[in-house]
Amino acid sequence: MPPQLGKLLVLIGLGLALLGGIIWLGGGSWLSWFGRLPGDIRIERPGFRFYLPLASMLLVSLLLSAVLWLWRRL
């Protein structure tokens, strides 16, 4: 395995731990809009619930693509 992969996994893990700590300590209210974007599909009926976070996942994909692109440039 290339050493860059290990470095990337450590950074991703640290980033997730930091985000989890912020949310756990109550700072997650700034993230309340996530999952409720205009492109997210939500259908709720009695006995049935369907949720497809399309716009939210596109946003996550764009952010991860930008981070990985920057990572390769360094």
Side-chain angles (χ1 to χ4, degrees), residues 2-74:
Q4 295 87 3
L5 180 62
K7 194 184 307 183
L8 177 64
L9 289 175
V10 167
L11 286 175
I12 289 173
L14 288 173
L16 285 174
L18 180 66
L19 181 63
I22 290 170
I23 292 172
W24 181 51
L25 292 174
S29 61
W30 59 271
L31 199 59
S32 64
W33 56 268
F34 188 74
R36 296 187 180 125
L37 295 175
D40 294 338
I41 299 170
R42 181 182 306 204
I43 301 171
E44 294 183 21
R45 299 208 167 107
F48 178 76
R49 186 180 300 176
F50 178 76
Y51 180 62
L52 180 66
L54 188 61
S56 296
M57 290 302 105
L58 285 173
L59 181 63
V60 168
S61 177
L62 285 172
L63 289 173
L64 284 176
S65 294
V67 167
L68 292 175
W69 179 80
L70 286 172
W71 178 266
R72 278 198 257 155
R73 303 289 286 175
L74 296 176

